[in-house]
Amino acid sequence: MLLAFARGLSVKEAAMAIGVSVPTLRKHYFAEVAKRAAARLRMEMTQLARLNSAAQGGNVAAEKELLKRLDKAALADLSDRVAHRDHAPKAKVEKLGKKAAAKDAAGQVGGKFAPPAAPRLIN
């Protein structure tokens, strides 16, 4: 199951792979479904660790593959940062309740029904 998510399968594809329906998958394997992003990351880290061990042992092909994968990850990270640079985090707008919204709307009334201006103090 975790290997299906580590491979990048959707919930529907994973359910078909093990021969159950999507609701059954969600019911019985909810924790695994929730951990699918972590499963992929763990699998990648395991592969990188194995490549690193082989490269330290003198395997030149493993060293080249390790560098290739690290470059690919760095490029993907850069791509994500560039894609999201124009999107500043949105300010959280607090949603008002009915009474607070009505009070706020009443304070913004203008024209004939606007509240009178505060009296000026004369010295």
Side-chain angles (χ1 to χ4, degrees):
M1 167 61 100
L2 286 177
L3 286 177
F5 290 137
R7 190 172 156 252
L9 296 180
S10 68
V11 174
K12 184 177 180 180
E13 291 169 333
M16 283 187 345
I18 63 171
V20 296
S21 67
V22 173
T24 301
L25 177 75
R26 289 186 190 275
K27 181 179 178 183
H28 294 288
Y29 301 101
F30 183 75
E32 284 84 3
V33 171
K35 296 178 192 173
R36 74 176 159 187
R40 181 165 181 81
L41 185 60
R42 271 195 309 273
M43 184 156 188
E44 278 184 41
M45 292 300 108
T46 301
Q47 288 177 337
L48 288 175
R50 287 178 182 161
L51 282 172
N52 189 42
S53 295
Q56 286 177 344
N59 187 337
V60 176
E63 188 173 340
K64 286 181 181 180
E65 181 65 22
L66 179 62
L67 289 174
K68 186 172 94 175
R69 288 189 186 197
L70 290 176
D71 285 343
K72 185 177 177 181
L75 187 61
D77 183 46
L78 178 64
S79 174
D80 286 345
R81 284 189 284 146
V82 168
H84 296 102
R85 70 176 174 204
D86 293 337
H87 305 292
K90 294 181 181 179
K92 188 174 182 180
V93 178
E94 187 175 327
K95 193 161 185 162
L96 298 176
K98 290 181 184 177
K99 289 181 183 178
K103 186 175 181 180
D104 186 44
Q108 295 179 4
V109 172
K112 179 179 172 182
F113 298 104
R120 294 186 311 179
L121 297 176
I122 302 174
N123 284 344

